[in-house]
Amino acid sequence: KQEVTQIPAALSVPEGENLVLNCSFTDSAIYNLQWFRQDPGKGLTSLLLIQSSQREQTSGRLNASLDKSSGRSTLYIAASQPGDSATYLCAVKGSSNTGKLIFGQGTTLQVKP
Amino acid sequence: NAGVMQNPRHLVRRRGQEARLRCSPMKGHSHVYWYRQLPEEGLKFMVYLQKENIIDESGMPKERFSAEFPKEGPSILRIQQVVRGDSAAYFCASFTQSGESTDTQYFGPGTRLTVL
């Protein structure tokens, strides 16, 4: 049974810091891995999607890496800003394109001005 | 192309009442997933439907919960005889196997159910 864990559960940093959020999963047979952002009381916004054959994806100040063999992914946020404050969720999709997403518990990030 | 729409956004029910949550997928999407986010917990898969078919309901409680995605109209998640433990945010996501971005599930804003 696939399990997804995110560390740390919460993180508070001053503005401008570079930071890394971690995600680990127990079953390496995944179709893809996705990072989402969730603001309080809101829905989910997809940030980056990494296919199982890829090692990383980049979008602006965000970079996500995937090491399928070790069951790990990291989300790197460069030059953090107060607007980055949110909960970041990691989700893996099982072995088929139509598979369900299995989510981690999330990392709640606060960036202080 | 409007995104995934869910209504109502907030729903308050008393114990024992029924709750009906609606999800309209993105245009052209025929796959719908429902997820539940309990307070202080992560999102958990409930059910996966295609038009007129339930494909995977392994995450849905066996009692009181049902889901449908008719040929016409939105997908409905129905909770009968609600209890306080049903209070949660319910998210719907839609998906397509054709065109661009075929690997992404697009999420709606959620319905926040409060059971008094």
Side-chain angles (χ1 to χ4, degrees):
Chain A
K1 180 186 169 187
Q2 178 75 272
E3 292 183 3
V4 180
T5 304
Q6 291 186 245
I7 294 173
L11 185 61
S12 180
V13 300
E15 182 177 4
E17 272 203 11
N18 302 323
L19 52 100
V20 174
L21 308 182
N22 296 292
C23 172
S24 61
F25 47 96
T26 54
D27 186 348
S28 62
I30 64 170
Y31 188 86
N32 61 36
L33 182 144
Q34 201 163 359
W35 283 91
F36 292 89
R37 169 183 171 140
Q38 184 176 28
D39 292 283
K42 305 287 187 182
L44 278 69
T45 301
S46 179
L47 297 174
L48 290 165
L49 183 150
I50 312 176
Q51 301 292 359
S52 62
S53 58
Q54 297 175 325
R55 295 300 299 263
E56 66 177 347
Q57 282 288 335
T58 298
S59 176
R61 293 183 293 109
L62 305 179
N63 176 277
S65 67
L66 174 64
D67 184 343
K68 212 171 68 160
S69 61
S70 67
R72 294 180 189 278
S73 175
T74 60
L75 178 66
Y76 175 81
I77 303 176
S80 57
Q81 302 171 357
D84 294 331
S85 299
T87 296
Y88 291 80
L89 298 167
C90 164
V92 299
K93 182 183 282 191
S95 54
S96 77
N97 192 22
T98 56
K100 62 193 176 193
L101 294 177
I102 299 171
F103 285 84
Q105 298 281 75
T107 294
T108 299
L109 171 66
Q110 182 183 33
V111 181
K112 298 178 179 176
Chain B
N1 187 4
V4 178
M5 300 176 69
Q6 290 189 248
N7 67 82
R9 295 290 306 277
H10 299 274
L11 182 61
V12 178
R13 285 287 178 265
R14 296 190 181 281
R15 281 179 296 170
Q17 291 184 318
E18 178 180 288
R20 280 183 177 243
L21 288 62
R22 295 175 185 76
C23 169
S24 296
M26 289 180 70
K27 186 177 180 180
H29 287 200
S30 59
H31 303 242
V32 165
Y33 302 77
W34 285 92
Y35 296 86
R36 177 166 68 172
Q37 188 173 35
L38 292 165
E40 307 303 323
E41 293 190 20
L43 277 87
K44 297 276 195 273
F45 166 78
M46 298 183 74
V47 61
Y48 162 38
L49 311 102
Q50 292 180 23
K51 285 284 188 181
E52 300 185 274
N53 288 300
I54 297 175
I55 306 301
D56 180 357
E57 56 182 347
S58 60
M60 199 151 70
K62 303 255 184 283
E63 306 287 331
R64 303 186 298 107
F65 285 72
S66 62
E68 63 177 13
F69 189 15
K71 186 176 180 181
E72 302 290 338
S75 175
I76 306 285
L77 179 67
R78 182 183 178 202
I79 311 172
Q80 294 178 292
Q81 299 175 330
V82 295
V83 301
R84 290 213 173 111
D86 296 332
S87 296
Y90 292 82
F91 291 95
C92 160
S94 77
F95 174 81
T96 180
Q97 286 187 288
S98 61
E100 297 181 1
S101 301
T102 58
D103 291 329
T104 300
Q105 293 182 14
Y106 294 87
F107 280 78
T111 293
R112 277 149 186 86
L113 172 65
T114 301
V115 179
L116 301 177

Short mmCIF file of all heavy atoms in Angstrom, two decimals, chain A residues 31-32 34 36 38-46 49 51 89 93 97-106, chain B residues 9 31 33 35 37 40-45 48 50 56 58 91 95-97 102-105 107-109 112:
data_model
loop_
_atom_site.label_atom_id
_atom_site.label_comp_id
_atom_site.label_asym_id
_atom_site.label_seq_id
_atom_site.Cartn_x
_atom_site.Cartn_y
_atom_site.Cartn_z
N TYR A 31 3.26 6.50 -11.46
CA TYR A 31 3.10 7.03 -12.82
C TYR A 31 3.68 8.43 -12.89
O TYR A 31 4.36 8.80 -13.84
CB TYR A 31 1.61 7.03 -13.18
CG TYR A 31 1.36 7.36 -14.62
CD1 TYR A 31 1.38 6.38 -15.60
CD2 TYR A 31 1.08 8.67 -15.01
CE1 TYR A 31 1.14 6.68 -16.93
CE2 TYR A 31 0.86 8.98 -16.34
CZ TYR A 31 0.89 7.98 -17.28
OH TYR A 31 0.67 8.29 -18.60
N ASN A 32 3.35 9.24 -11.88
CA ASN A 32 3.95 10.56 -11.78
C ASN A 32 3.83 11.08 -10.36
O ASN A 32 3.20 10.46 -9.50
CB ASN A 32 3.34 11.55 -12.80
CG ASN A 32 1.86 11.79 -12.60
OD1 ASN A 32 1.38 11.83 -11.48
ND2 ASN A 32 1.13 11.96 -13.70
N GLN A 34 3.23 14.88 -8.20
CA GLN A 34 2.78 16.25 -8.41
C GLN A 34 2.89 17.02 -7.10
O GLN A 34 2.60 16.49 -6.02
CB GLN A 34 1.32 16.22 -8.89
CG GLN A 34 0.84 17.44 -9.61
CD GLN A 34 -0.43 17.17 -10.40
OE1 GLN A 34 -0.95 16.06 -10.43
NE2 GLN A 34 -0.94 18.20 -11.05
N PHE A 36 1.40 20.39 -5.16
CA PHE A 36 0.28 21.33 -5.17
C PHE A 36 0.51 22.38 -4.08
O PHE A 36 1.20 22.14 -3.09
CB PHE A 36 -1.04 20.62 -4.83
CG PHE A 36 -1.52 19.66 -5.88
CD1 PHE A 36 -1.12 18.33 -5.86
CD2 PHE A 36 -2.42 20.07 -6.86
CE1 PHE A 36 -1.59 17.43 -6.80
CE2 PHE A 36 -2.90 19.18 -7.81
CZ PHE A 36 -2.48 17.87 -7.78
N GLN A 38 -1.91 24.78 -1.49
CA GLN A 38 -3.26 24.99 -0.99
C GLN A 38 -3.24 26.17 -0.02
O GLN A 38 -2.54 26.14 1.00
CB GLN A 38 -3.80 23.75 -0.27
CG GLN A 38 -5.25 23.90 0.18
CD GLN A 38 -5.83 22.66 0.82
OE1 GLN A 38 -5.11 21.85 1.40
NE2 GLN A 38 -7.13 22.49 0.72
N ASP A 39 -4.01 27.21 -0.33
CA ASP A 39 -4.16 28.34 0.56
C ASP A 39 -5.31 28.06 1.51
O ASP A 39 -6.24 27.32 1.17
CB ASP A 39 -4.40 29.62 -0.23
CG ASP A 39 -3.16 30.02 -1.03
OD1 ASP A 39 -2.23 30.55 -0.40
OD2 ASP A 39 -3.11 29.77 -2.25
N PRO A 40 -5.30 28.64 2.71
CA PRO A 40 -6.33 28.35 3.71
C PRO A 40 -7.74 28.51 3.16
O PRO A 40 -8.08 29.54 2.58
CB PRO A 40 -6.04 29.36 4.82
CG PRO A 40 -4.58 29.67 4.68
CD PRO A 40 -4.30 29.61 3.20
N GLY A 41 -8.56 27.50 3.33
CA GLY A 41 -9.95 27.56 2.88
C GLY A 41 -10.14 27.52 1.38
O GLY A 41 -11.24 27.77 0.89
N LYS A 42 -9.09 27.21 0.67
CA LYS A 42 -9.17 27.22 -0.81
C LYS A 42 -8.93 25.82 -1.38
O LYS A 42 -8.63 24.87 -0.65
CB LYS A 42 -8.11 28.18 -1.38
CG LYS A 42 -8.17 29.57 -0.83
CD LYS A 42 -9.35 30.34 -1.37
CE LYS A 42 -9.29 31.79 -0.94
NZ LYS A 42 -10.46 32.55 -1.41
N GLY A 43 -9.01 25.74 -2.70
CA GLY A 43 -8.73 24.49 -3.39
C GLY A 43 -7.25 24.30 -3.64
O GLY A 43 -6.41 24.98 -3.04
N LEU A 44 -6.93 23.37 -4.52
CA LEU A 44 -5.54 23.03 -4.80
C LEU A 44 -5.11 23.62 -6.14
O LEU A 44 -5.85 23.55 -7.11
CB LEU A 44 -5.37 21.51 -4.88
CG LEU A 44 -5.23 20.76 -3.58
CD1 LEU A 44 -6.51 20.77 -2.76
CD2 LEU A 44 -4.78 19.33 -3.83
N THR A 45 -3.90 24.15 -6.14
CA THR A 45 -3.30 24.66 -7.36
C THR A 45 -2.10 23.79 -7.70
O THR A 45 -1.20 23.63 -6.86
CB THR A 45 -2.84 26.12 -7.18
OG1 THR A 45 -3.97 26.92 -6.82
CG2 THR A 45 -2.22 26.66 -8.47
N SER A 46 -2.08 23.25 -8.90
CA SER A 46 -0.95 22.43 -9.30
C SER A 46 0.26 23.30 -9.58
O SER A 46 0.17 24.30 -10.28
CB SER A 46 -1.32 21.64 -10.57
OG SER A 46 -0.21 20.86 -10.99
N LEU A 49 4.50 18.98 -12.08
CA LEU A 49 4.22 17.56 -12.27
C LEU A 49 5.46 16.92 -12.87
O LEU A 49 5.99 17.44 -13.86
CB LEU A 49 3.01 17.37 -13.17
CG LEU A 49 2.52 15.93 -13.41
CD1 LEU A 49 1.02 15.92 -13.66
CD2 LEU A 49 3.23 15.28 -14.59
N GLN A 51 6.91 13.40 -14.42
CA GLN A 51 6.62 12.05 -14.87
C GLN A 51 7.63 11.09 -14.27
O GLN A 51 8.73 11.49 -13.90
CB GLN A 51 6.68 11.99 -16.40
CG GLN A 51 5.72 12.92 -17.12
CD GLN A 51 4.27 12.54 -16.94
OE1 GLN A 51 3.92 11.55 -16.30
NE2 GLN A 51 3.39 13.34 -17.51
N LEU A 89 1.47 20.42 -0.84
CA LEU A 89 1.09 19.01 -0.83
C LEU A 89 1.81 18.26 -1.95
O LEU A 89 1.91 18.74 -3.07
CB LEU A 89 -0.42 18.86 -1.04
CG LEU A 89 -1.31 19.49 0.03
CD1 LEU A 89 -2.75 19.54 -0.45
CD2 LEU A 89 -1.23 18.70 1.33
N LYS A 93 0.73 9.49 -8.18
CA LYS A 93 -0.29 8.75 -8.91
C LYS A 93 0.26 7.35 -9.13
O LYS A 93 1.41 7.18 -9.48
CB LYS A 93 -0.59 9.42 -10.25
CG LYS A 93 -1.69 8.72 -11.04
CD LYS A 93 -1.91 9.37 -12.40
CE LYS A 93 -2.70 10.62 -12.31
NZ LYS A 93 -3.12 11.10 -13.66
N ASN A 97 -2.36 5.97 -15.77
CA ASN A 97 -2.68 7.38 -15.96
C ASN A 97 -3.99 7.78 -15.30
O ASN A 97 -4.18 8.93 -14.92
CB ASN A 97 -2.74 7.67 -17.47
CG ASN A 97 -2.78 9.15 -17.76
OD1 ASN A 97 -2.38 9.97 -16.95
ND2 ASN A 97 -3.27 9.49 -18.94
N THR A 98 -4.90 6.84 -15.16
CA THR A 98 -6.20 7.17 -14.58
C THR A 98 -6.22 6.90 -13.08
O THR A 98 -7.27 6.96 -12.45
CB THR A 98 -7.31 6.34 -15.25
OG1 THR A 98 -6.99 4.95 -15.14
CG2 THR A 98 -7.46 6.72 -16.71
N GLY A 99 -5.07 6.58 -12.51
CA GLY A 99 -5.03 6.24 -11.09
C GLY A 99 -5.34 7.40 -10.17
O GLY A 99 -5.22 8.57 -10.53
N LYS A 100 -5.72 7.05 -8.96
CA LYS A 100 -6.02 8.06 -7.96
C LYS A 100 -4.71 8.68 -7.47
O LYS A 100 -3.63 8.11 -7.60
CB LYS A 100 -6.74 7.41 -6.78
CG LYS A 100 -5.91 6.33 -6.09
CD LYS A 100 -6.74 5.49 -5.15
CE LYS A 100 -5.90 4.38 -4.55
NZ LYS A 100 -6.71 3.36 -3.88
N LEU A 101 -4.84 9.87 -6.89
CA LEU A 101 -3.69 10.52 -6.26
C LEU A 101 -3.66 10.14 -4.78
O LEU A 101 -4.69 10.10 -4.12
CB LEU A 101 -3.82 12.04 -6.40
CG LEU A 101 -3.72 12.60 -7.82
CD1 LEU A 101 -3.94 14.10 -7.80
CD2 LEU A 101 -2.38 12.27 -8.43
N ILE A 102 -2.45 9.88 -4.31
CA ILE A 102 -2.25 9.61 -2.89
C ILE A 102 -1.41 10.75 -2.35
O ILE A 102 -0.29 10.99 -2.82
CB ILE A 102 -1.56 8.25 -2.67
CG1 ILE A 102 -2.45 7.15 -3.24
CG2 ILE A 102 -1.30 8.02 -1.18
CD1 ILE A 102 -1.82 5.80 -3.29
N PHE A 103 -1.98 11.45 -1.37
CA PHE A 103 -1.39 12.68 -0.88
C PHE A 103 -0.60 12.47 0.41
O PHE A 103 -0.94 11.62 1.24
CB PHE A 103 -2.49 13.71 -0.58
CG PHE A 103 -3.09 14.34 -1.79
CD1 PHE A 103 -4.12 13.73 -2.48
CD2 PHE A 103 -2.63 15.56 -2.25
CE1 PHE A 103 -4.69 14.31 -3.61
CE2 PHE A 103 -3.18 16.16 -3.38
CZ PHE A 103 -4.21 15.53 -4.06
N GLY A 104 0.42 13.32 0.58
CA GLY A 104 1.05 13.46 1.88
C GLY A 104 0.22 14.41 2.73
O GLY A 104 -0.76 15.00 2.27
N GLN A 105 0.67 14.55 3.98
CA GLN A 105 -0.08 15.40 4.92
C GLN A 105 0.16 16.88 4.67
O GLN A 105 -0.58 17.72 5.19
CB GLN A 105 0.35 15.08 6.35
CG GLN A 105 0.07 13.67 6.79
CD GLN A 105 -1.37 13.47 7.17
OE1 GLN A 105 -2.24 13.40 6.30
NE2 GLN A 105 -1.65 13.36 8.44
N GLY A 106 1.20 17.20 3.93
CA GLY A 106 1.47 18.59 3.62
C GLY A 106 2.51 19.22 4.52
O GLY A 106 2.74 18.77 5.65
N ARG B 9 -20.44 25.87 -2.02
CA ARG B 9 -19.09 26.02 -1.48
C ARG B 9 -19.08 25.71 0.02
O ARG B 9 -18.11 25.19 0.55
CB ARG B 9 -18.58 27.42 -1.73
CG ARG B 9 -18.39 27.77 -3.21
CD ARG B 9 -17.22 27.00 -3.81
NE ARG B 9 -16.00 27.20 -3.06
CZ ARG B 9 -15.20 28.25 -3.20
NH1 ARG B 9 -15.48 29.18 -4.08
NH2 ARG B 9 -14.10 28.34 -2.48
N HIS B 31 -13.82 12.12 -16.68
CA HIS B 31 -13.37 11.39 -15.50
C HIS B 31 -13.47 12.33 -14.30
O HIS B 31 -13.02 13.48 -14.38
CB HIS B 31 -11.91 10.95 -15.62
CG HIS B 31 -11.61 10.09 -16.81
ND1 HIS B 31 -11.15 8.80 -16.67
CD2 HIS B 31 -11.70 10.32 -18.13
CE1 HIS B 31 -10.96 8.29 -17.87
NE2 HIS B 31 -11.28 9.18 -18.77
N TYR B 33 -12.96 12.51 -9.92
CA TYR B 33 -12.48 11.93 -8.68
C TYR B 33 -13.00 12.77 -7.52
O TYR B 33 -13.03 14.00 -7.62
CB TYR B 33 -10.95 11.94 -8.62
CG TYR B 33 -10.25 11.21 -9.74
CD1 TYR B 33 -10.15 11.78 -11.01
CD2 TYR B 33 -9.67 9.96 -9.54
CE1 TYR B 33 -9.51 11.12 -12.05
CE2 TYR B 33 -9.03 9.29 -10.58
CZ TYR B 33 -8.95 9.88 -11.83
OH TYR B 33 -8.31 9.22 -12.85
N TYR B 35 -12.31 13.54 -3.42
CA TYR B 35 -11.38 13.41 -2.30
C TYR B 35 -11.98 14.11 -1.09
O TYR B 35 -12.74 15.07 -1.22
CB TYR B 35 -10.02 14.08 -2.62
CG TYR B 35 -9.26 13.45 -3.76
CD1 TYR B 35 -9.52 13.82 -5.08
CD2 TYR B 35 -8.27 12.49 -3.52
CE1 TYR B 35 -8.81 13.24 -6.14
CE2 TYR B 35 -7.56 11.91 -4.58
CZ TYR B 35 -7.84 12.30 -5.87
OH TYR B 35 -7.14 11.73 -6.92
N GLN B 37 -10.99 15.88 2.73
CA GLN B 37 -9.94 16.39 3.61
C GLN B 37 -10.55 16.65 4.98
O GLN B 37 -11.25 17.65 5.19
CB GLN B 37 -9.33 17.68 3.05
CG GLN B 37 -8.10 18.18 3.80
CD GLN B 37 -7.45 19.37 3.10
OE1 GLN B 37 -8.12 20.22 2.51
NE2 GLN B 37 -6.12 19.44 3.15
N GLU B 40 -7.21 18.75 9.92
CA GLU B 40 -5.86 18.38 10.34
C GLU B 40 -5.36 17.10 9.66
O GLU B 40 -4.41 16.48 10.13
CB GLU B 40 -5.77 18.20 11.86
CG GLU B 40 -6.29 19.39 12.65
CD GLU B 40 -5.59 20.69 12.31
OE1 GLU B 40 -4.37 20.65 12.07
OE2 GLU B 40 -6.25 21.74 12.27
N GLU B 41 -5.99 16.70 8.57
CA GLU B 41 -5.53 15.51 7.85
C GLU B 41 -5.31 15.84 6.39
O GLU B 41 -5.74 16.86 5.87
CB GLU B 41 -6.54 14.38 7.97
CG GLU B 41 -6.70 13.83 9.36
CD GLU B 41 -7.53 12.56 9.38
OE1 GLU B 41 -7.65 11.91 8.32
OE2 GLU B 41 -8.05 12.22 10.45
N GLY B 42 -4.61 14.96 5.71
CA GLY B 42 -4.39 15.14 4.28
C GLY B 42 -5.60 14.74 3.47
O GLY B 42 -6.59 14.23 4.00
N LEU B 43 -5.53 14.98 2.18
CA LEU B 43 -6.62 14.58 1.29
C LEU B 43 -6.59 13.07 1.09
O LEU B 43 -5.54 12.47 0.86
CB LEU B 43 -6.47 15.24 -0.07
CG LEU B 43 -7.00 16.66 -0.18
CD1 LEU B 43 -5.93 17.64 0.23
CD2 LEU B 43 -7.45 16.94 -1.61
N LYS B 44 -7.77 12.48 1.13
CA LYS B 44 -7.88 11.04 0.94
C LYS B 44 -8.84 10.77 -0.22
O LYS B 44 -9.94 11.34 -0.27
CB LYS B 44 -8.42 10.36 2.20
CG LYS B 44 -7.52 10.52 3.42
CD LYS B 44 -6.44 9.49 3.45
CE LYS B 44 -5.76 9.41 4.80
NZ LYS B 44 -4.68 10.32 4.96
N PHE B 45 -8.45 9.87 -1.09
CA PHE B 45 -9.28 9.47 -2.22
C PHE B 45 -10.55 8.79 -1.73
O PHE B 45 -10.53 8.00 -0.78
CB PHE B 45 -8.48 8.52 -3.09
CG PHE B 45 -9.29 7.77 -4.10
CD1 PHE B 45 -9.71 8.38 -5.27
CD2 PHE B 45 -9.66 6.44 -3.87
CE1 PHE B 45 -10.47 7.68 -6.21
CE2 PHE B 45 -10.41 5.74 -4.80
CZ PHE B 45 -10.81 6.36 -5.96
N TYR B 48 -13.74 7.19 -7.84
CA TYR B 48 -13.39 7.60 -9.19
C TYR B 48 -14.51 7.14 -10.12
O TYR B 48 -14.89 5.97 -10.12
CB TYR B 48 -12.04 6.98 -9.56
CG TYR B 48 -11.69 6.93 -11.04
CD1 TYR B 48 -12.01 7.97 -11.90
CD2 TYR B 48 -11.00 5.83 -11.56
CE1 TYR B 48 -11.67 7.91 -13.25
CE2 TYR B 48 -10.65 5.78 -12.90
CZ TYR B 48 -10.98 6.82 -13.74
OH TYR B 48 -10.64 6.77 -15.07
N GLN B 50 -16.34 7.51 -14.15
CA GLN B 50 -16.46 7.98 -15.52
C GLN B 50 -17.95 8.10 -15.80
O GLN B 50 -18.77 7.61 -15.02
CB GLN B 50 -15.79 7.01 -16.48
CG GLN B 50 -14.27 6.97 -16.33
CD GLN B 50 -13.61 6.00 -17.29
OE1 GLN B 50 -14.17 5.67 -18.34
NE2 GLN B 50 -12.44 5.53 -16.95
N ASP B 56 -13.74 3.08 -9.36
CA ASP B 56 -13.03 2.69 -8.14
C ASP B 56 -13.69 3.41 -6.97
O ASP B 56 -13.67 4.62 -6.92
CB ASP B 56 -11.53 3.08 -8.26
CG ASP B 56 -10.71 2.72 -7.04
OD1 ASP B 56 -11.26 2.20 -6.04
OD2 ASP B 56 -9.49 2.96 -7.07
N SER B 58 -12.98 2.37 -3.73
CA SER B 58 -12.29 1.75 -2.61
C SER B 58 -12.10 2.68 -1.42
O SER B 58 -11.88 2.23 -0.31
CB SER B 58 -10.94 1.21 -3.08
OG SER B 58 -10.13 2.26 -3.59
N PHE B 91 -13.38 17.64 -2.07
CA PHE B 91 -12.85 18.16 -3.32
C PHE B 91 -13.15 17.21 -4.47
O PHE B 91 -13.06 16.00 -4.34
CB PHE B 91 -11.34 18.38 -3.23
CG PHE B 91 -10.94 19.48 -2.30
CD1 PHE B 91 -10.58 19.21 -0.99
CD2 PHE B 91 -10.91 20.79 -2.75
CE1 PHE B 91 -10.22 20.23 -0.13
CE2 PHE B 91 -10.53 21.82 -1.89
CZ PHE B 91 -10.19 21.54 -0.57
N PHE B 95 -10.49 15.08 -15.10
CA PHE B 95 -9.34 14.55 -15.83
C PHE B 95 -9.80 14.15 -17.22
O PHE B 95 -10.95 13.76 -17.42
CB PHE B 95 -8.85 13.32 -15.05
CG PHE B 95 -7.75 12.53 -15.70
CD1 PHE B 95 -6.44 12.95 -15.61
CD2 PHE B 95 -8.03 11.35 -16.36
CE1 PHE B 95 -5.42 12.20 -16.18
CE2 PHE B 95 -7.01 10.60 -16.94
CZ PHE B 95 -5.72 11.03 -16.85
N THR B 96 -8.87 14.27 -18.18
CA THR B 96 -9.17 13.81 -19.52
C THR B 96 -8.00 12.99 -20.04
O THR B 96 -6.85 13.21 -19.66
CB THR B 96 -9.45 14.98 -20.47
OG1 THR B 96 -9.74 14.47 -21.76
CG2 THR B 96 -8.24 15.92 -20.57
N GLN B 97 -8.31 12.06 -20.91
CA GLN B 97 -7.25 11.26 -21.53
C GLN B 97 -6.95 11.72 -22.95
O GLN B 97 -6.21 11.05 -23.66
CB GLN B 97 -7.67 9.78 -21.56
CG GLN B 97 -7.59 9.13 -20.20
CD GLN B 97 -7.83 7.64 -20.27
OE1 GLN B 97 -8.95 7.20 -20.50
NE2 GLN B 97 -6.78 6.85 -20.09
N THR B 102 -2.81 15.74 -20.26
CA THR B 102 -3.61 14.56 -19.98
C THR B 102 -3.21 13.89 -18.69
O THR B 102 -3.84 12.92 -18.29
CB THR B 102 -3.49 13.55 -21.12
OG1 THR B 102 -2.11 13.21 -21.28
CG2 THR B 102 -4.03 14.11 -22.41
N ASP B 103 -2.16 14.33 -18.04
CA ASP B 103 -1.74 13.65 -16.83
C ASP B 103 -2.13 14.40 -15.56
O ASP B 103 -1.80 13.97 -14.47
CB ASP B 103 -0.21 13.47 -16.84
CG ASP B 103 0.21 12.47 -17.91
OD1 ASP B 103 -0.58 11.55 -18.20
OD2 ASP B 103 1.31 12.63 -18.46
N THR B 104 -2.83 15.49 -15.69
CA THR B 104 -3.13 16.33 -14.53
C THR B 104 -4.59 16.22 -14.15
O THR B 104 -5.47 16.27 -15.01
CB THR B 104 -2.81 17.80 -14.85
OG1 THR B 104 -1.43 17.91 -15.18
CG2 THR B 104 -3.10 18.69 -13.66
N GLN B 105 -4.83 16.06 -12.86
CA GLN B 105 -6.19 16.18 -12.34
C GLN B 105 -6.38 17.64 -11.94
O GLN B 105 -5.56 18.21 -11.22
CB GLN B 105 -6.40 15.27 -11.14
CG GLN B 105 -6.36 13.78 -11.49
CD GLN B 105 -6.62 12.88 -10.30
OE1 GLN B 105 -7.07 13.32 -9.24
NE2 GLN B 105 -6.34 11.60 -10.47
N PHE B 107 -8.44 20.40 -9.92
CA PHE B 107 -9.27 20.40 -8.72
C PHE B 107 -10.23 21.58 -8.68
O PHE B 107 -9.90 22.69 -9.10
CB PHE B 107 -8.38 20.44 -7.47
CG PHE B 107 -7.81 19.10 -7.11
CD1 PHE B 107 -6.73 18.58 -7.80
CD2 PHE B 107 -8.39 18.35 -6.11
CE1 PHE B 107 -6.22 17.32 -7.49
CE2 PHE B 107 -7.88 17.09 -5.78
CZ PHE B 107 -6.81 16.59 -6.48
N GLY B 108 -11.40 21.32 -8.14
CA GLY B 108 -12.36 22.36 -7.86
C GLY B 108 -12.04 23.04 -6.53
O GLY B 108 -11.13 22.61 -5.82
N PRO B 109 -12.81 24.08 -6.17
CA PRO B 109 -12.54 24.84 -4.94
C PRO B 109 -12.98 24.12 -3.67
O PRO B 109 -12.64 24.56 -2.58
CB PRO B 109 -13.34 26.12 -5.14
CG PRO B 109 -14.46 25.72 -6.04
CD PRO B 109 -13.90 24.67 -6.96
N ARG B 112 -17.19 22.78 1.67
CA ARG B 112 -16.92 22.60 3.09
C ARG B 112 -18.22 22.27 3.81
O ARG B 112 -19.11 23.10 3.91
CB ARG B 112 -16.25 23.86 3.66
CG ARG B 112 -14.75 23.81 3.36
CD ARG B 112 -14.11 25.17 3.17
NE ARG B 112 -12.72 24.98 2.76
CZ ARG B 112 -12.33 24.80 1.50
NH1 ARG B 112 -13.21 24.83 0.52
NH2 ARG B 112 -11.06 24.61 1.19
#
